[in-house]
Amino acid sequence: MDNMEKTYDPQFEKRIYDLWLKNKCFEAHVDPDKEPFTVMMPPPNITGQLHMGHALDLTVQDVLVRFKRMCGYEALWVPGTDHASIATEVKIVEKMREEGLTKEQVGRDGFMQRAWQWKAEYGGRIVEQMKGLGISCDWSREAFTMDENCSNAVLDAFVRYYKKGLIYRGDRIINWCPHCHTALSDAEVEYEEQQSNLWYYKYPVVGEDDAIVIATTRPETMLGDTAVAVNPKDAKMSKYIGKQVRLPLTDRVIPVVGDEYCEIGFGTGAVKITPAHDPNDFELGLRHNLPVIQCIGEDGLMNDNAGKYKGMDRLAARKAIVEDLKALGLLVKIEPYAHNVGTCYRCGETVEALVSKQWFVKMKPLAQPAIEAVRSKRTEFIPKRFEKVYFNWMENIRDWCISRQLWWGHRIPAYYCDKCGEMVVSKTKADVCPKCGGAMRQDEDVLDTWFSSALWPFSTLGYPKRTKSLAYFYPTSVLVTAYDIIFFWVARMMFSGIEFMGDVPFSEVLIHGIVRDAQGRKMSKSLGNGIDPLAIIDKYGADALRFSLASGIAPGSDTRFSEAKIESSRNFVNKLWNASRFVIMNIGKDDDLTLPTRFNGADKWILTRLNDTIRQVTVNLNKYELGLAAAKLYDFVWSEFCDWYIEMSKTLLYSGDKKQHDHAIAMLVYVLGEILKLLHPFMPFITEEIYSKFAPKGQLIMLAAWPSYNKHRVYRKEEAQFEGLREIISSIRNLRNEMNVAPSKRVNLHVIAPDARFIQAVTPYIQKLAGVGEVELISDKSEVQGRVSALVAAGAEIFIPLGELVDLDKERERISQEIAQTQGVIAKTTALLANTAFTQKAPEKLVENERTKLAQAQDKLEKLKDKLASLD
RNA sequence: GGAGGCAUGGCUCAGUUGGUUAGAGCACACGGUUCACAUCCGUGAGGUCACAGGUUCGAGUCCUGUUGCCUCCACCA
């Protein structure tokens, strides 16, 4: 047998991964005889490197994919990366700035060159990092949102939407990031609370000695005001409707309109209306046919309409305007006010609402079937509560602004004729205007990065080509992702899949939480509390990281990550390593490793526990309860297999009897093999490595069949007996500890047991595991002489002559304590059984259990009392 | 303003459709060079399951309310 190092060292991970690649283990093919299990990897952005959130997401997916593959599914996991239009462009611009360059200087082509270079570098690095995690995705299908296939899908989708009238271009109020210099969708705006003021000032009424006081958080937008609104039902204010007010600092006169948007009792009862810079005002402006006057430009500076404030920054202008209003005696008061300000989700800059010509997707017709699909359970969220979040968003959705004033992305396939104004939307390049024959130029803008992500479940399978893969693997089985991109991504994949494929993109959406630090804080660059998964892999190995991430997670819940946690996982991996090392080093050259046909008691016990574990873990994994599955495996492997079964097997292994040795080693190899298979989805590398040490040459564990529950190898009687044995051995250990018996000292036992044959059979175990010398079976305590310590466990009375070591007072106290405890049980059980309501209503089996429990406790009490008395 | 989540020993979490005296791991205390493992082994201490009611023979588990922490959505100037 191969040598195994004494301490687990994950250096073999790379070699194992190459072995899988060489054998094309990850590749999935259309196979009508098998049921597909398809997962699309949420493509990481190529902006940087993998973080702990990716590691979690990938681990969960790989556990499921490996599990399903072993269960006999044709498991396809498509990997890829996302071009992340705005995020990447921001990074590239940053990098260029360090070199003293701007986008304009390098030009569109030069910029694209740099971007593709960036993609090659960072995209490639991410792929290497994913491989380091050991994930089993089909690299032959690796996709990128801007590769040829995905780009074709984008073109196809855009044109089809357009032809259906679901994409339109128009002047609408949109979110504008002055820093990134692009429009943003509603989803890309994050709100944060900021401490600001509410400024009150007067708009003089034309022709009267009166003025309307308005309150605003944004005085600088007053230069774009085109009305003041009051509520027509407001008794105090409605009189102003139809009048005009003079807009201070300008020469304009604007109307007072009545609109219920203005809430009675809030502020002053009048609100200034700036259609160009506020979505609500924009809507109100449409209702009242108000002109739209933009006073803040796309650069965030005041523009031509701002008169003397032109060229000032928004905030500077605010200050100046307030000063000027004050000088005019129009400022009434300033109140501190906390409100939410929209910021760009990429750069954090305060976004401006402004009116701009952009492309939009009409959402209502698309949202409806997407809502219906979840209502009818064609797609289910796990946990279910996230469906509410989904519905809430879909039901209140507004049109999706998809054009971005960026360069890195899919360029919008719209072409304009400058001569006659004709526009053509086409998958192929339009050079000549079909109307006037003039030259056409393509739209300068690119699409929202999420437009291509939305097509991911089918663009990666060849769409718009109707490939065999698409027919076989779509719809996918489960989408695994964190809750923070339900809107950005999950929702959009839903309506896109329904629209273009005629079916939902996935049957289930498994939502997991985010990885937090040890104190429960979000990991972030600014806090500097992030833990780099690659550093963890270097130090502890990918298996330890994976197991650590899978432990203690539950669908939808956040998880905490700490160095202490990974250490405990590493220790578990080490434990598995050493248990395996023990088994393997005990395999003799000519040992027969076939599973014995007859099992001894210990075998039956471990087989029962193994089968229970198989059943539970399988159920857990099918329900996506990875945390529970991991916990059960940890417990079974460490506390049952290692602590008890291996220890017990040593009596046979070292008995000197070849037959006994062979029996023991064959059993150990069998159980270990099953354990390795069960653990493989969680820790693929070490299980493959260990498996290779004893499995038939060339056989890979990742392609092995998942263990199945075998009811013929479940032995409840032996299971109970061995639980009793464990109790006996623990009790003896406990007593030795309390009596300060030296660990090396062997003690002799006298045992009165209800099942003497069983005690006889397990005597070697008792001797080995409890440091026991002779075990003498007796029928009456009178046979015991001298000072003894005694205990009652699993129905047996055990007497331990300890000679001088017995401290009578201590012994008395110990037994008294046990008596008290037993009396507690008796009291409770008696009360329960005396309650007729209980005996009548509770299930018969439960009542019976209580009766047995009472009888056993009473028996034990009697024996204990006896012991106590005998000490005097 | 709306929606949701969490609350169990010092820390991280289990606790299946309500049913033994609520379990692990880490940390802690004590003892261990027994030939797989000190990244280990054995033993132990530590919890009125946030609070108050209710349903039930029986509640950590179900219902109502309260408090505390967290998240998402909305964004009325």
Side-chain angles (χ1 to χ4, degrees):
Chain A
M1 283 298 130
D2 286 333
N3 257 357
M4 286 176 75
E5 292 299 318
K6 185 172 171 182
T7 301
Y8 157 71
D9 174 4
Q11 41 70 32
F12 50 79
E13 293 185 350
K14 172 98 178 65
R15 171 167 51 79
I16 298 282
Y17 203 80
D18 288 341
L19 178 74
W20 289 329
L21 287 177
K22 202 182 98 207
N23 285 283
K24 300 187 189 304
C25 296
F26 306 154
E27 292 183 19
H29 305 282
V30 174
D31 181 350
D33 295 333
K34 285 166 91 178
E35 199 179 321
F37 180 81
T38 317
V39 175
M40 295 297 168
M41 176 189 296
N45 290 347
I46 55 161
T47 41
Q49 52 179 4
L50 293 188
H51 56 245
M52 220 29 112
H54 292 120
L56 171 66
D57 190 52
L58 295 169
T59 296
V60 171
Q61 289 170 79
D62 198 39
V63 168
L64 296 177
V65 169
R66 285 182 183 273
F67 166 62
K68 291 287 182 176
R69 188 184 289 119
M70 291 173 82
C71 286
Y73 288 85
E74 187 64 22
L76 170 63
W77 185 15
V78 179
T81 45
D82 195 301
H83 69 286
S85 174
I86 183 168
T88 307
E89 183 152 332
V90 165
K91 292 250 177 180
I92 297 170
V93 168
E94 254 170 43
K95 197 180 158 197
M96 288 198 312
R97 199 180 44 209
E98 283 164 22
E99 299 169 37
L101 289 169
T102 65
K103 271 169 77 177
E104 287 66 32
Q105 282 172 328
V106 299
R108 189 159 193 152
D109 289 343
F111 183 85
M112 288 302 277
Q113 234 175 29
R114 284 167 181 270
W116 279 106
Q117 226 169 3
W118 177 286
K119 188 263 162 185
E121 188 180 330
Y122 288 89
R125 198 200 287 178
I126 286 169
V127 165
E128 285 316 302
Q129 292 168 349
M130 294 198 280
K131 289 179 175 173
L133 254 182
I135 62 175
S136 65
C137 46
D138 187 347
W139 292 108
S140 73
R141 297 176 190 255
E142 182 186 342
F144 176 57
T145 46
M146 269 172 69
D147 64 21
E148 202 189 336
N149 232 333
C150 292
S151 299
N152 281 339
V154 166
L155 283 176
D156 181 85
F158 189 95
V159 173
R160 277 176 66 175
Y161 273 142
Y162 181 74
K163 288 195 174 145
K164 240 180 134 172
L166 289 172
I167 278 186
Y168 65 91
R169 187 174 187 235
D171 288 296
R172 296 285 184 284
I173 189 145
I174 46 95
N175 308 293
W176 182 268
C177 174
H179 177 257
C180 301
H181 217 261
T182 179
L184 299 172
S185 68
D186 294 339
E188 288 170 311
V189 177
E190 284 175 354
Y191 290 87
E192 61 177 53
E193 188 167 289
Q194 281 179 13
Q195 231 11 269
S196 177
N197 293 313
L198 204 50
W199 286 271
Y200 292 78
Y201 52 85
K202 294 179 193 166
Y203 285 8
V205 178
V206 173
E208 291 179 28
D209 188 20
D210 193 3
I212 297 179
V213 178
I214 58 92
T216 181
T217 54
R218 306 202 55 197
E220 69 277 16
T221 63
M222 69 162 290
L223 302 171
D225 284 3
T226 53
V228 165
V230 299
N231 194 310
K233 288 181 182 157
D234 187 337
K236 277 212 290 230
M237 303 303 286
S238 59
K239 62 179 180 189
Y240 291 110
I241 296 171
K243 295 186 177 175
Q244 293 192 307
V245 294
R246 190 169 300 284
L247 188 61
L249 309 176
T250 73
D251 52 5
R252 287 195 287 122
V253 164
I254 57 175
V256 179
V257 299
D259 197 290
E260 307 223 332
Y261 159 66
C262 181
E263 192 184 310
I264 301 173
F266 186 91
T268 61
V271 56
K272 64 191 268 312
I273 301 299
T274 324
H277 296 296
D278 183 281
N280 291 306
D281 291 9
F282 183 80
E283 294 295 320
L284 187 142
L286 290 179
R287 289 197 289 276
H288 297 272
N289 264 320
L290 298 175
V292 175
I293 299 177
Q294 187 171 330
C295 60
I296 301 170
E298 296 182 343
D299 45 12
L301 304 179
M302 306 307 288
N303 68 8
D304 291 343
N305 291 326
K308 69 177 223 191
Y309 307 100
K310 182 187 169 184
M312 293 176 87
D313 178 77
R314 294 164 286 173
L315 288 178
R318 173 182 299 177
K319 228 173 166 175
I321 286 169
V322 170
E323 279 308 310
D324 292 347
L325 286 170
K326 195 173 168 189
L328 289 171
L330 294 172
L331 186 68
V332 178
K333 60 175 172 175
I334 305 174
E335 274 179 0
Y337 190 72
H339 69 143
N340 286 331
V341 175
T343 60
C344 171
Y345 83 139
R346 281 306 160 199
C347 73
E349 177 80 15
T350 300
V351 299
E352 274 307 319
L354 45 86
V355 177
S356 168
K357 193 183 281 296
Q358 302 287 345
W359 287 92
F360 296 86
V361 176
K362 206 181 274 182
M363 284 311 305
K364 280 273 176 312
L366 290 168
Q368 209 40 53
I371 291 169
E372 194 40 47
V374 175
R375 285 216 194 287
S376 62
K377 297 188 187 303
R378 275 190 291 149
T379 295
E380 293 188 72
F381 281 74
I382 300 158
K384 209 161 181 49
R385 66 186 136 93
F386 288 102
E387 290 180 1
K388 215 165 179 176
V389 180
Y390 171 86
F391 287 138
N392 183 48
W393 191 75
M394 279 288 198
E395 280 159 4
N396 298 299
I397 199 161
R398 296 199 299 175
D399 285 357
W400 176 18
C401 175
I402 50 169
S403 45
R404 298 288 179 274
Q405 289 61 55
L406 302 167
W407 284 346
W408 178 238
H410 303 95
R411 200 156 162 187
I412 291 174
Y415 304 84
Y416 310 102
C417 174
D418 287 327
K419 225 163 148 191
C420 71
E422 174 72 357
M423 180 183 78
V424 173
V425 169
S426 159
K427 285 166 90 162
T428 51
K429 200 168 185 312
D431 292 321
V432 182
C433 175
K435 227 177 187 174
C436 73
M440 299 201 92
R441 57 176 176 83
Q442 186 171 4
D443 197 306
E444 294 293 322
D445 293 349
V446 300
L447 287 164
D448 181 1
T449 201
W450 299 100
F451 190 92
S452 57
S453 323
L455 315 176
W456 190 248
F458 45 95
S459 63
T460 51
L461 290 171
Y463 182 94
K465 291 195 281 283
R466 296 283 154 171
T467 61
K468 282 182 181 156
S469 280
L470 193 56
Y472 180 72
F473 290 112
Y474 190 95
T476 69
S477 308
V478 58
L479 177 84
V480 180
T481 192
Y483 51 71
D484 53 355
I485 52 174
I486 293 178
F487 306 135
F488 283 117
W489 195 43
V490 181
R492 286 168 179 162
M493 280 191 285
M494 282 296 288
F495 64 71
S496 304
I498 293 168
E499 176 68 16
F500 297 113
M501 290 298 298
D503 199 354
V504 295
F506 22 73
S507 317
E508 291 176 305
V509 181
L510 173 59
I511 302 287
H512 60 246
I514 58 172
V515 184
R516 297 174 174 277
D517 73 2
Q519 283 103 59
R521 299 172 305 178
K522 228 170 178 166
M523 287 188 182
S524 75
K525 278 216 183 77
S526 51
L527 272 177
N529 59 345
I531 300 176
D532 179 8
L534 306 165
I536 297 293
I537 290 175
D538 276 350
K539 194 167 167 196
Y540 300 97
D543 287 326
L545 172 63
R546 292 168 58 115
F547 194 80
S548 188
L549 286 169
S551 296
I553 57 164
S557 305
D558 290 348
T559 173
R560 295 187 190 203
F561 191 88
S562 64
E563 194 103 2
K565 213 166 180 175
I566 183 102
E567 272 179 25
S568 127
S569 296
R570 187 269 319 269
N571 294 351
F572 178 54
V573 177
N574 182 62
K575 184 75 183 175
L576 176 69
W577 178 263
N578 275 292
S580 306
R581 190 164 78 97
F582 171 78
V583 172
I584 286 161
M585 68 198 257
N586 277 292
I587 301 177
K589 248 197 167 112
D590 50 355
D591 284 358
D592 180 7
L593 294 182
T594 46
L595 188 64
T597 46
R598 295 176 66 106
F599 302 117
N600 64 37
D603 298 341
K604 290 181 176 175
W605 167 74
I606 196 70
L607 287 170
T608 305
R609 304 302 305 140
L610 172 67
N611 272 296
D612 283 349
T613 304
I614 290 170
R615 186 170 55 184
Q616 287 173 344
V617 168
T618 306
V619 166
N620 287 146
L621 288 180
N622 276 319
K623 285 159 77 178
Y624 306 128
E625 297 163 338
L626 308 210
L628 296 183
K632 265 160 199 161
L633 285 168
Y634 182 99
D635 202 47
F636 174 69
V637 172
W638 203 315
S639 313
E640 304 196 286
F641 181 64
C642 292
D643 288 351
W644 292 94
Y645 188 69
I646 286 185
E647 291 308 320
M648 290 193 288
S649 74
K650 287 176 180 172
T651 59
L652 297 186
L653 282 176
Y654 301 143
S655 66
D657 181 329
K658 168 75 172 150
K659 251 173 112 173
Q660 287 197 335
H661 173 92
D662 276 13
H663 177 100
I665 201 69
M667 278 303 299
L668 285 169
V669 166
Y670 169 73
V671 179
L672 176 64
E674 296 296 278
I675 284 171
L676 291 174
K677 288 175 203 162
L678 294 171
L679 281 172
H680 180 258
F682 295 94
M683 34 180 85
F685 290 120
I686 188 179
T687 48
E688 193 71 86
E689 172 70 2
I690 296 169
Y691 198 66
S692 73
K693 308 269 185 200
F694 66 86
K697 209 167 171 57
Q699 203 166 306
L700 295 176
I701 200 170
M702 79 158 284
L703 301 177
W706 183 254
S708 54
Y709 178 76
N710 184 344
K711 65 176 182 196
H712 301 298
R713 295 219 183 107
V714 171
Y715 309 90
R716 294 296 171 209
K717 186 182 144 210
E718 284 80 359
E719 184 190 20
Q721 283 179 329
F722 274 72
E723 294 308 317
L725 174 64
R726 289 213 284 174
E727 192 191 331
I728 289 169
I729 291 170
S730 293
S731 305
I732 298 169
R733 285 168 173 174
N734 176 352
L735 184 132
R736 290 178 60 120
N737 247 288
E738 290 198 4
M739 295 293 124
N740 289 321
V741 178
S744 54
K745 170 153 175 81
R746 304 215 148 250
V747 297
N748 296 326
L749 305 184
H750 304 279
V751 181
I752 305 176
D755 185 353
R757 279 179 57 195
F758 174 69
I759 295 296
Q760 236 160 10
V762 299
T763 292
Y765 303 143
I766 297 174
Q767 289 171 320
K768 170 146 186 64
L769 300 180
V772 167
E774 305 274 310
V775 176
E776 191 192 344
L777 281 156
I778 56 175
S779 50
D780 192 274
K781 62 174 184 289
S782 59
E783 296 175 44
V784 185
Q785 283 157 21
R787 302 172 108 187
V788 293
S789 197
L791 48 89
V792 178
E797 285 182 87
I798 299 166
F799 303 88
I800 309 176
L802 290 174
E804 279 68 58
L805 281 171
V806 178
D807 177 332
L808 284 182
D809 287 338
K810 222 171 168 182
E811 182 72 354
R812 243 181 238 117
E813 196 191 316
R814 188 181 62 79
I815 294 177
S816 302
Q817 247 174 29
E818 229 180 319
I819 286 174
Q821 199 197 14
T822 311
Q823 278 170 333
V825 175
I826 291 171
K828 198 179 163 175
T829 322
T830 310
L832 202 55
L833 286 168
N835 185 345
T836 49
F838 171 75
T839 48
Q840 278 164 19
K841 292 186 185 177
E844 183 52 35
K845 200 178 155 197
L846 208 71
V847 179
E848 199 43 52
N849 279 351
E850 291 299 318
R851 289 209 179 97
T852 321
K853 198 167 84 188
L854 180 60
Q856 282 170 355
Q858 277 165 341
D859 180 55
K860 185 172 179 178
L861 182 65
E862 212 174 294
K863 286 169 180 167
L864 287 170
K865 278 183 168 164
D866 226 23
K867 301 274 156 17
L868 195 59
S870 73
L871 287 179
D872 296 328

